[in-house]
Amino acid sequence: MSLPDRVKIVEVSPRDGLQNEKGIIAAAVKIELIDRLTSAGFQNIEAASFVSPKWVPQMADGAEVMLGIQRLPDTIYSVLTPNMRGFNDALAVRADEVVIFGSASEAFSQKNINCSIAESIARFEPVAQAAKAAGLRLRGSISCSLGCPYQGETPIQSVVDVAQRFLALGCDEIDVADTIGVGTPKRVRQVMDAVTRIIDPARISGHFHDTYGQSLANILASLEAGISIFHTSVAGLGGCPYAKGATGNVATEDVLFMMDGLDIETGVDLNEVVDIGMWISAHLGRKTASRAGSALAARKAA
Ligand SMILES: CC(C)(COP(=O)([O-])OP(=O)([O-])OC[C@H]1O[C@@H](n2cnc3c(N)ncnc32)[C@H](O)[C@@H]1OP(=O)([O-])[O-])[C@@H](O)C(=O)NCCC(=O)NCCSC(=O)C[C@@](C)(O)CC(=O)[O-]
């Protein structure tokens, strides 16, 4: 299959990238991060999470962040909303897209959102209806699509079942998420092929964590399966509090560098993203996890 000319990169660092940070990061830093990402050309930024602050304290300032950022009219600012409480908070700050997040694994569903998969779908139903009524975009994220930290490999049918439920709820986009980064290209291709049999590939995204260094290969396998939306995180920031040991999302800089080599447009300025990656890594007191980011920053410094 031929590869697309253009892909959409959803930058998830302000939410997935920062949610697992131990020390609380000031809202001003989150706001600066999002503003710089907006300037770099991302058309979709996952900006915050309206979840219980007892479960994820780092995301407690979502409203302050959403109200503090400089928004561009064509940029989609997404927020996570596990229930109606989260949805109402998202509506109050005029989020463009709300994300319901389920799992293809029963055990992870319990650990992450404290209910079974079936209960989660029932909880998402009013959120989906309210999102449609308010004219907001709706995205559904399927955690553990390639494997679960508690249950091991995920059967492909479990991913398809949740995708089907999300489709019925009216999701505009559905994420196949490799929460712990265990997927390898052959399996990713099988999962993407199964999901694209029931949903238009243009509505499916690949969300890959890079724990085992497989993300770029998995993105290539997804491109070959017709997928053209990918989630990335500047400097490879991230991790899920309910998936111990899992590292961050695939680094944005690495994906942009690969897309450039494949002649696939992203609309994002890699040069600016390298600077953002170095800035946020310095702020967090660590080295960037992006190979391309380090190499390009070193080249600039020379
Ligand atoms: C879903 C719940 C709330 C259920 O949590 P629960 O304890 O079953 O629910 P509850 O209704 O009993 O609420 C407990 C407390 O939280 C409050 N509460 C309830 N809802 C909200 C809300 N929306 N905003 C603010 N507060 C809220 C509620 O008011 C109550 O407060 P209390 O009475 O004890 O003072 C909880 O489990 C939760 O917040 N989980 C979120 C976990 C999370 O954010 N995980 C990380 C994101 S998922 C992820 O990273 C994966 C993804 C998407 O990136 C893709 C991938 O890589 O796989």
Side-chain angles (χ1 to χ4, degrees), residues 144-219:
C144 298
S145 291
L146 276 301
C148 168
Y150 312 105
Q151 276 183 207
E153 190 171 79
T154 303
I156 291 177
Q157 193 53 45
S158 306
V159 184
V160 172
D161 287 347
V162 178
Q164 210 132 31
R165 303 284 198 99
F166 278 166
L167 192 62
L169 289 179
C171 287
D172 299 293
E173 228 165 87
I174 294 175
D175 314 331
V176 171
D178 186 5
T179 313
I180 53 170
V182 289
T184 52
K186 182 177 166 190
R187 183 72 174 176
V188 166
R189 179 68 197 253
Q190 289 167 345
V191 173
M192 291 302 190
D193 282 348
V195 177
T196 53
R197 273 197 276 278
I198 58 159
I199 303 169
D200 178 359
R203 292 169 62 186
I204 298 171
S205 58
H207 176 109
F208 298 109
H209 285 260
D210 205 28
T211 317
Y212 293 87
Q214 302 296 303
S215 290
L216 287 178
N218 290 339
I219 288 175

